[in-house]
Amino acid sequence: MNIQTLTLEEAQNINVWQYEEPYELYSFTGASETLEELLDGTYYGVRNEHDELIGYFCFGDNAQVPGGRDAKLYTGECVVDIGLGMKPDLTGKGLGISFFQAGLQFAKEQFGPEKIRLSVAAFNERAIHLYMKAGFQKKASFMSRGREFLLMEYDAAGCEKQ
């Protein structure tokens, strides 16, 4: 898989992705503010071996959920937050683990974190199973916009203290 900073064309494509219930909370609205965020340098497009856009990763503040910020859960040094999304028609087809592992490897190489952290809607058992399979552990739960979320962490063993 090839992971690079999002292009305008990729961002425009992602900005209209729609997910079926119960995953509609991850859908995009096509808003211009969202397009600006997608192009702010924290989002990366993922292309397969056929050079087709299959998803994205984002890192840092844009990967955080407002309720987790309110609960002051996004603390610590040498930690990078990761967010992600697969093209809607590719979800649930067993492609998630290789996609996610590529993003984890990218995060380790780019940021050298000690821990990688993510937030996921508590109802999203499919994603939680994938994250646990990849080595993430549940750390806390919190509410955001009327929904329960889980904060999960992965020990990336980076960020050597000098």
Side-chain angles (χ1 to χ4, degrees), residues 7-113:
T7 66
L8 175 59
E9 181 182 341
E10 290 169 337
Q12 289 170 329
N13 185 327
I14 291 167
N15 200 30
V16 294
W17 283 358
Q18 296 292 304
Y19 295 90
E20 293 184 10
E21 288 187 20
Y23 306 102
E24 72 279 355
L25 116 103
Y26 300 110
S27 292
F28 288 83
T29 64
S32 59
E33 304 84 44
T34 305
L35 185 61
E36 287 177 29
E37 180 181 317
L38 288 167
L39 292 169
D40 74 2
T42 64
Y43 284 79
Y44 296 79
V46 183
R47 291 187 168 270
N48 65 14
E49 62 277 3
H50 306 293
D51 201 35
E52 298 164 331
L53 179 66
I54 61 168
Y56 69 88
F57 288 99
C58 69
F59 301 97
D61 291 350
N62 286 334
Q64 298 175 353
V65 174
R69 275 193 217 113
D70 295 344
K72 300 191 180 355
L73 295 175
Y74 300 120
T75 61
E77 294 180 31
C78 298
V79 180
V80 67
D81 289 285
I82 186 172
L84 60 138
M86 278 190 91
K87 191 173 184 178
D89 61 355
L90 298 177
T91 61
K93 295 184 173 14
L95 306 171
I97 192 70
S98 60
F99 174 79
F100 189 54
Q101 286 173 335
L104 290 179
Q105 188 61 39
F106 181 83
K108 289 179 198 176
E109 292 169 4
Q110 290 292 310
F111 306 106

Side-chain angles (χ1 to χ4, degrees), residues 118 120 122 125 128-129 131-132 135-141 150-154:
L118 61 77
V120 59
E125 294 176 14
I128 294 165
H129 176 76
Y131 303 148
M132 292 182 77
F136 277 73
Q137 296 180 341
K138 297 175 185 176
K139 293 295 181 180
S141 65
L150 294 176
L151 186 72
M152 300 181 75
E153 285 185 356
Y154 172 85

